[in-house]
Amino acid sequence: MKVSVLGCGRWGTFLGWYSDKIGHNVTIWGRSGSKNLEELEHTRKNKYLYLSETTKLTNDLDATIDNSDYIIISISSQHLRNLCEDIKKSNYENKTFILCMKGIEVSTGKRLTEVFREILGSKVKLAVWVGPGHVQSFVKRIPNCMVIDSDNKDVTEDVVKTFSSDLIRLYIGEDLIGDELGAAAKNVIGIAAGMLDAVGYSSLKGALMARGAREVSRLIKAMGGDEITAYGLCHLGDYEATLFSEFSNNRRYGENFVRGTLNDDYLAEGVSTAKAIVKLSDDYNVEMPIIRGVDAVLNGELSPHKMLKDMFLRSVKKEFY
Amino acid sequence: MKVSVLGCGRWGTFLGWYSDKIGHNVTIWGRSGSKNLEELEHTRKNKYLYLSETTKLTNDLDATIDNSDYIIISISSQHLRNLCEDIKKSNYENKTFILCMKGIEVSTGKRLTEVFREILGSKVKLAVWVGPGHVQSFVKRIPNCMVIDSDNKDVTEDVVKTFSSDLIRLYIGEDLIGDELGAAAKNVIGIAAGMLDAVGYSSLKGALMARGAREVSRLIKAMGGDEITAYGLCHLGDYEATLFSEFSNNRRYGENFVRGTLNDDYLAEGVSTAKAIVKLSDDYNVEMPIIRGVDAVLNGELSPHKMLKDMFLRSVKKEFY
């Protein structure tokens, strides 16, 4: 199949590499002026992998879309709306789009498929691809499981079939709301994990996993999804990569934030997601003390030590409510 | 209150230390001839902590029980039946017993409260105390959350009140079956995590958490508990300590087993629990590929590499079923 990837960051470039490995005809697109695209064009590699000779690189969006059956999008969540406006000018109607990204639009509180459909309409075939997996492990041939979801069972099954392999086992998701929210929210729990690491409370990550997944499952349910989805690959299944791994952007962001060692040019997805989820928790009247606490610390409204203690030791009597 | 702890291993001795710190009058009991008891008597300390001067040490079971309001039991699960036979000879009827241990009786497939009640009757007050927590962290004053459960709400609430502190926040559990099974089963998932570490597949621990908790929740439901309990402190909440920590006996056992570096004198609780759960999964007709796989590897029936690959990459189409 003709597969293109819009976005040439770590994850997008990996998805191009992967699609090529499993036999597709791959084009990777980046904006003109993108440093990542420039590096790939000059060296055919990045820090993690080498591209095959047949993988095309381009900054021509219209031609890329025109020439693809499947279009994977992997860019920063807050830029999706702008990219969709650009896609709208192309011949996009009969393609299958797959969002491989994790976030919520902070200005609207909308899920990424909602943003996409708002601009490109309800008829385009659209799926999400979420769940665990480090580029660093995949390129060493260490397999993992991920999940595909959409609002159309046939699309979900087709994408699973087109992109499954021995390296990435794709499961069929049946709760788009849950899979999108769960995937986005795990980045905020990752920041909380980094904060625990910074204050020497790493042993509270077990409680963080149980209590964090619980509040996310409450939000999913309130928004019309299935509460069990938070405990699937999209959220809990991504906790190893996000809460424990040295590779996790969001965990490192939380740790550096508390230590006061953040670089100015570096922002984790979970920062805007925390803001968006606080808004959703207000709109849907769902108690979310951990994500709310992370947001308050990031906004400088609360000291991380106080937040982390309160977060786990507040006087809730019953475990499930 | 007068609190005694039966068992003077790492966890039992810690619970004596903790009960003393929060103001109880503490006796720690060990069998005559116990090496741990001997060490404590001679040095008043073990590898992890020092006992206060007022903490009593004894090998007199009858006097210990006679002189206690609350009796915590923390011994190896497979020895509970024998200890209960000994307790039966004492003046035990009006005491509150708390099982701080994680396992299933392998010869019968019974939960530990079932074993206890079979011998000591249905009238004795009996609770379980499970969830995450490293001795090594608690003695450094790093707090954690745990859960108390029982078949009697008043007993649960009384135990929570008697043993809660800023160091250990105790939650009220409301699913005894789930809390006992979940706590026992996490040791088997811990062995699986160690096997992943041994073969360099640590990045599959996210999938292990999602898929492992899922099969345990199915068993809990089949046995009459609430499937959500697997995602609480008793099981998922203990995953940090069990799947990721260098301190975890079960994780280390799995790693050493696969590497072929096991010491003969060392057995993890999860080994017998795996056997017991395989029996339960047959009895209740619940599919449990991970725990069954761990048991098969431990019995030499399957190579760990094959098991670990099959475990995550078998062709299940839907994530939740």
Side-chain angles (χ1 to χ4, degrees):
Chain A
M1 293 289 177
K2 288 181 288 182
V3 172
S4 65
V5 182
L6 309 186
C8 50
R10 175 169 68 172
W11 192 242
T13 306
F14 164 72
L15 290 168
W17 176 91
Y18 171 72
S19 299
D20 175 75
K21 290 281 176 206
I22 62 174
H24 297 304
N25 188 340
V26 174
T27 302
I28 298 177
W29 170 88
R31 282 190 188 281
S32 82
S34 149
K35 279 188 188 165
N36 287 330
L37 182 63
E38 225 168 77
E39 186 193 356
L40 290 171
E41 280 174 332
H42 280 86
T43 64
R44 307 288 304 171
K45 68 179 175 72
N46 65 13
K47 209 170 132 189
Y48 310 101
L49 51 80
Y50 285 85
L51 294 178
S52 76
E53 284 174 17
T54 53
T55 303
K56 290 178 279 299
L57 293 162
T58 179
N59 62 13
D60 183 339
L61 187 62
D62 288 358
T64 301
I65 291 174
D66 208 38
N67 232 320
S68 304
D69 305 306
Y70 295 86
I71 297 149
I72 294 171
I73 304 181
S74 176
I75 61 166
S76 170
S77 301
Q78 306 309 319
H79 297 145
L80 180 62
R81 185 175 290 271
N82 284 339
L83 181 63
C84 288
E85 295 287 2
D86 292 340
I87 292 171
K88 203 175 175 181
K89 300 165 196 155
S90 74
N91 175 23
Y92 68 92
E93 285 89 350
N94 296 311
K95 315 295 182 178
T96 297
F97 286 84
I98 307 160
L99 303 180
C100 292
M101 33 200 295
K102 298 168 182 177
I104 293 171
E105 191 176 56
V106 69
S107 57
T108 61
K110 288 189 173 148
R111 290 179 285 114
L112 301 180
T113 59
E114 292 179 302
V115 172
F116 183 98
R117 291 227 178 273
E118 206 170 289
I119 298 161
L120 298 168
S122 60
K123 287 185 192 153
V124 192
K125 285 174 273 181
L126 175 65
V128 301
W129 177 343
V130 296
H134 307 290
V135 171
Q136 293 91 332
S137 299
F138 283 136
V139 296
K140 287 187 210 152
R141 302 290 172 165
I142 298 171
N144 221 322
C145 312
M146 301 185 76
V147 60
I148 302 293
D149 211 328
S150 79
D151 50 15
N152 178 328
K153 200 167 169 290
D154 293 338
V155 173
T156 306
E157 287 182 0
D158 177 61
V159 173
V160 165
K161 225 173 86 184
T162 306
F163 291 96
S164 251
S165 75
D166 278 352
L167 189 60
I168 303 186
R169 172 60 46 111
L170 294 171
Y171 281 76
I172 292 173
E174 297 181 300
D175 175 17
L176 181 60
I177 293 173
D179 275 319
E180 283 196 87
L181 277 176
K186 67 98 197 175
N187 283 331
V188 189
I189 308 297
I191 294 177
M195 291 177 170
L196 287 174
D197 287 333
V199 301
Y201 278 17
S202 306
S203 58
L204 271 162
K205 284 188 193 172
L208 172 65
M209 294 199 284
R211 307 304 305 158
R214 188 74 197 126
E215 68 179 53
V216 171
S217 82
R218 284 199 297 263
L219 179 64
I220 288 172
K221 192 177 170 188
M223 292 180 68
D226 184 341
E227 63 178 339
I228 203 76
T229 304
Y231 299 108
L233 293 166
C234 73
H235 187 78
L236 169 59
D238 216 351
Y239 274 4
E240 183 275 330
T242 308
L243 276 64
F244 294 93
S245 167
E246 51 176 324
F247 305 138
S248 165
N249 271 336
N250 289 283
R251 195 205 58 72
R252 266 192 298 137
Y253 188 91
E255 185 169 2
N256 285 324
F257 183 92
V258 171
R259 290 193 199 281
T261 52
L262 270 188
N263 293 327
D264 285 344
D265 59 344
Y266 162 62
L267 201 68
E269 278 275 8
V271 175
S272 45
T273 307
K275 227 179 272 303
I277 290 184
V278 166
K279 186 175 150 46
L280 292 174
S281 96
D282 287 337
D283 293 351
Y284 289 88
N285 198 20
V286 175
E287 223 184 320
M288 303 191 76
I290 295 177
I291 289 180
R292 196 172 281 277
V294 168
D295 185 57
V297 170
L298 293 175
N299 294 335
E301 296 157 18
L302 200 61
S303 95
H305 291 79
K306 180 160 171 40
M307 183 276 283
L308 293 168
K309 269 210 143 170
D310 289 357
M311 192 156 83
F312 297 107
L313 303 179
R314 74 203 181 110
S315 69
V316 173
K317 297 271 169 63
K318 291 184 183 175
E319 190 179 5
F320 295 102
Y321 60 93
Chain B
M1 293 288 178
K2 289 182 289 181
V3 171
S4 64
V5 181
L6 309 186
C8 50
R10 173 169 68 170
W11 192 242
T13 306
F14 164 73
L15 290 168
W17 176 91
Y18 171 72
S19 300
D20 174 75
K21 290 281 176 205
I22 61 172
H24 298 304
N25 188 339
V26 175
T27 301
I28 298 175
W29 171 88
R31 283 190 187 280
S32 82
S34 150
K35 278 188 187 166
N36 287 330
L37 182 63
E38 225 168 75
E39 185 193 358
L40 290 171
E41 280 173 331
H42 280 85
T43 64
R44 307 289 303 171
K45 68 180 175 70
N46 65 14
K47 209 170 131 190
Y48 309 100
L49 51 82
Y50 284 85
L51 294 178
S52 75
E53 283 177 16
T54 52
T55 303
K56 290 178 280 296
L57 293 162
T58 179
N59 62 15
D60 183 340
L61 187 63
D62 288 358
T64 300
I65 291 172
D66 209 36
N67 233 317
S68 303
D69 306 306
Y70 295 85
I71 297 148
I72 294 170
I73 304 182
S74 176
I75 61 166
S76 169
S77 300
Q78 308 307 320
H79 297 145
L80 180 62
R81 186 173 290 273
N82 284 339
L83 181 63
C84 289
E85 295 286 1
D86 291 340
I87 292 170
K88 202 175 177 180
K89 300 165 197 156
S90 74
N91 174 24
Y92 68 92
E93 286 88 349
N94 297 310
K95 315 296 184 179
T96 298
F97 286 84
I98 307 159
L99 304 181
C100 292
M101 34 201 293
K102 298 167 183 177
I104 292 170
E105 192 176 58
V106 68
S107 57
T108 62
K110 288 190 174 149
R111 290 179 285 116
L112 302 179
T113 59
E114 291 179 302
V115 172
F116 184 98
R117 292 227 177 272
E118 203 171 293
I119 297 161
L120 298 167
S122 59
K123 287 188 193 151
V124 190
K125 285 174 276 184
L126 175 64
V128 301
W129 176 344
V130 296
H134 307 290
V135 171
Q136 292 91 329
S137 298
F138 283 137
V139 298
K140 287 187 210 154
R141 302 291 172 165
I142 298 172
N144 221 322
C145 312
M146 301 185 74
V147 59
I148 302 292
D149 212 328
S150 79
D151 51 13
N152 178 327
K153 200 168 170 289
D154 293 339
V155 171
T156 306
E157 287 182 0
D158 177 62
V159 173
V160 165
K161 224 173 88 183
T162 306
F163 290 97
S164 252
S165 75
D166 279 351
L167 189 61
I168 304 185
R169 171 61 43 112
L170 293 171
Y171 281 74
I172 292 172
E174 297 181 300
D175 175 17
L176 181 61
I177 293 174
D179 275 318
E180 283 195 88
L181 277 176
K186 66 99 196 175
N187 284 330
V188 189
I189 308 297
I191 293 177
M195 290 177 171
L196 287 174
D197 287 333
V199 302
Y201 277 19
S202 306
S203 56
L204 271 163
K205 283 187 192 173
L208 173 65
M209 294 199 284
R211 308 304 307 159
R214 188 74 199 128
E215 68 179 53
V216 171
S217 81
R218 284 199 296 262
L219 180 64
I220 288 172
K221 191 176 172 189
M223 291 179 71
D226 183 343
E227 63 178 337
I228 202 73
T229 304
Y231 299 108
L233 293 165
C234 74
H235 187 76
L236 169 58
D238 218 351
Y239 274 4
E240 183 276 331
T242 308
L243 274 65
F244 294 93
S245 168
E246 53 177 325
F247 305 138
S248 165
N249 271 336
N250 289 283
R251 195 204 59 73
R252 264 192 299 139
Y253 188 92
E255 184 170 2
N256 287 322
F257 183 91
V258 170
R259 290 193 199 281
T261 52
L262 270 187
N263 293 326
D264 286 344
D265 59 345
Y266 163 61
L267 201 66
E269 279 275 6
V271 176
S272 44
T273 307
K275 230 180 268 304
I277 291 184
V278 166
K279 187 176 150 44
L280 291 174
S281 95
D282 287 338
D283 293 352
Y284 288 89
N285 198 20
V286 176
E287 221 184 320
M288 303 189 77
I290 296 176
I291 290 179
R292 195 172 282 277
V294 168
D295 186 58
V297 170
L298 293 174
N299 294 336
E301 295 157 19
L302 201 60
S303 96
H305 291 79
K306 180 162 170 37
M307 184 277 282
L308 292 170
K309 270 209 139 169
D310 290 357
M311 192 154 84
F312 297 106
L313 303 181
R314 71 202 184 108
S315 69
V316 173
K317 296 269 170 66
K318 291 185 185 175
E319 189 178 6
F320 295 102
Y321 60 95

